Amino acid sequence: MKKLWGFIPAFAVFIALSIVAFYGGIILLLSGGRAWLPLFFFVLLFLFFLFILSKQIGNAKRWKQTAVVFVVLAVILAVWPLYQAYLNSIPGVSAEVDIYSYMPFQEDSKLNVLDEEPEIQFERDFPRLDGATALYPVYAAAAEMLYPEDWYEPTDSEVMVNTTPVAYSNLFEGKVDAVFAAAPSQGQLKTADAKGLELTLTPIGKEAFVFFVHADNPVESLSSEDLRMIYSGEITDWSSVGGDAKEIRAFQRPEDSGSQTALLRFMGEVPVVEAPRENIEEGMGGIIDQVAEYKNHKNAIGYTFRFYGEEMAANELIQYLAIDGIVPSVDAIQKDEYPLTSEFYIVTTQYSSPEALVLAAWFTSAQGQRLVEKAGYVPLDSSGE
């Protein structure tokens, strides 16, 4: 009985330290810590516990049984951190970039601005702008040319940048005068209609909707029909399209995002298979189901827009697929040869300010089109005339 009572404090210490190690390990992993740290911590704790336990339990048989139980417990507790370490070791294509590096009027900004006098200038009452992350570099460059110098906070200023759904929502609520984005989704069109809004979509450039795979994937080209069959769930293995015998992991983006809208438009009447999902704990709200962020598994396929993928979230571990034998080059996009070429827009409503309409007209002018090209996008007319 005394031995049993002597065992309880050691057991309590072990459990407490194990909990600390377990959650500490998860935090380390999610914050980029080395994968072996939590496991190493577990091993040390376990050996320490066994040492104390050996002093309390004299019976050899009971000692072995107890040791086996705690070895199993330690292995179980280590599964989650090790699994997270594995996932974190797989590079992804993030939906996020450092937007502050594209802010106007910053010394180390990545913006490409025309070195010429602007044909229009806004000194006051300038348009309030928002848009997709992928288009921020072009309208932030316009702001640097046409707006008075100031600090334009990306999250709260006259030149904001949000996701496509938030940007459209801000336009519908009258919080901004114009948004830069791909064409609105069916859901966004219904929302605008319900609010009595008339959307004007002024095309200002061309963009390619691109699909990408792991750089080691032997598949370099797919037909439009292959892609539709993959994203409808009819083709589930890479061997069906000339690749290795591996299951296809087809990632998607959140509903109403610009790229997801582009996917649905590409799919037409063909239904889209359910996307890989992940459970995210969000504060005190419990567990929500969310589309998994792209992880560059060797059997994965994902999609984005050309400029965002190549310039803003560059990743050498992925390769872009040719579609119907056409590579998404600037020349192929300009000539409309690449099959998934589309225009992007400055979108206004009947309630947008007059200045916003002036800005939209300027973007279609020769100077505006030169800025589109200078910023790294494909203009409507490559001649810039």
Side-chain angles (χ1 to χ4, degrees), residues 42-121:
F42 270 117
V43 171
L44 287 180
L45 283 174
F46 184 64
L47 292 176
F48 172 71
F49 175 72
L50 288 183
F51 173 76
I52 295 176
L53 193 63
S54 66
K55 301 296 185 180
Q56 305 295 333
I57 301 177
N59 185 292
K61 184 177 180 180
R62 189 183 301 170
W63 155 251
K64 291 179 181 178
Q65 292 174 342
T66 305
V68 169
V69 169
F70 283 100
V71 167
V72 172
L73 177 62
V75 170
I76 292 173
L77 290 175
V79 166
W80 173 253
L82 289 175
Y83 176 66
Q84 288 299 313
Y86 164 69
L87 290 180
N88 286 339
S89 70
I90 301 171
V93 177
S94 175
E96 304 299 330
V97 296
D98 180 14
I99 56 175
Y100 285 88
S101 64
Y102 292 93
M103 275 183 65
F105 302 110
Q106 301 306 302
E107 222 175 271
D108 299 323
S109 174
K110 293 181 180 179
L111 291 180
N112 293 309
V113 181
L114 291 177
D115 186 19
E116 56 185 83
E117 286 297 313
E119 295 172 354
I120 64 171
Q121 196 93 49

Side-chain angles (χ1 to χ4, degrees), residues 206 326 329-339 341 378-382:
K206 294 181 179 180
I326 306 296
S329 65
V330 169
D331 186 60
I333 297 167
Q334 181 64 63
K335 295 176 179 177
D336 289 323
E337 294 173 351
Y338 179 70
T341 297
V378 180
L380 298 173
D381 180 358
S382 61

